[in-house]
Amino acid sequence: MKKRLRKKKHLGEFAVFGVSLRVRCAPDLTEDRFDALLDDFIIDAVEAENLFFSGGGSAPQGWSGVLEPSRGHQSIDPGSLARVTTWLSSRPEVVSVEVSEPWDLWHGRDPFGWNGKSPPWD
């Protein structure tokens, strides 16, 4: 396959790899504190590392989603991923954090079961 088509289809050297996150929150976490936690996560962890995050959830069920590299990068820098997970683990509202192995965001399957239609926290 020609390079132009590999790029268009995100194949070979143009594949994009991200990781899945699954976060469980303290059982007594209120919705307001949960919303504040997500806002802080996006600003202080995700955007600070120049990453993108998509996902969601709720305080009682926790949340999950996909962390992906910024445009122009094919994978997340291990140092950035470590800083994000350290940030999450250090929060008192967070009980546990699971991070998947990197997977192909265009052609792979989410190891935690997110298929873009029915969230795994339902």
Side-chain angles (χ1 to χ4, degrees), residues 20-92:
S20 295
L21 295 175
R22 189 179 306 163
V23 178
R24 295 284 169 217
C25 300
D28 60 346
L29 189 64
T30 66
E31 285 298 322
D32 289 340
R33 295 269 326 218
F34 177 75
D35 290 342
L37 171 65
L38 285 181
D39 289 344
D40 291 346
F41 172 67
I42 296 299
I43 294 167
D44 298 338
V46 175
E47 290 178 353
E49 294 297 330
N50 199 27
L51 300 171
F52 297 110
F53 177 78
S54 60
S58 67
Q61 294 152 331
W63 52 277
S64 63
V66 175
L67 197 60
E68 61 183 274
S70 61
R71 304 290 182 242
H73 292 91
Q74 268 58 52
S75 62
I76 296 174
D77 173 62
S80 292
L81 182 57
R83 286 186 289 277
V84 169
T85 55
T86 299
W87 186 93
L88 279 168
S89 298
S90 71
R91 294 295 296 236

Side-chain angles (χ1 to χ4, degrees), residues 83-103:
R83 286 186 289 277
V84 169
T85 55
T86 299
W87 186 93
L88 279 168
S89 298
S90 71
R91 294 295 296 236
E93 304 97 327
V94 174
V95 173
S96 68
V97 178
E98 288 180 77
V99 180
S100 74
E101 291 295 317
W103 58 281

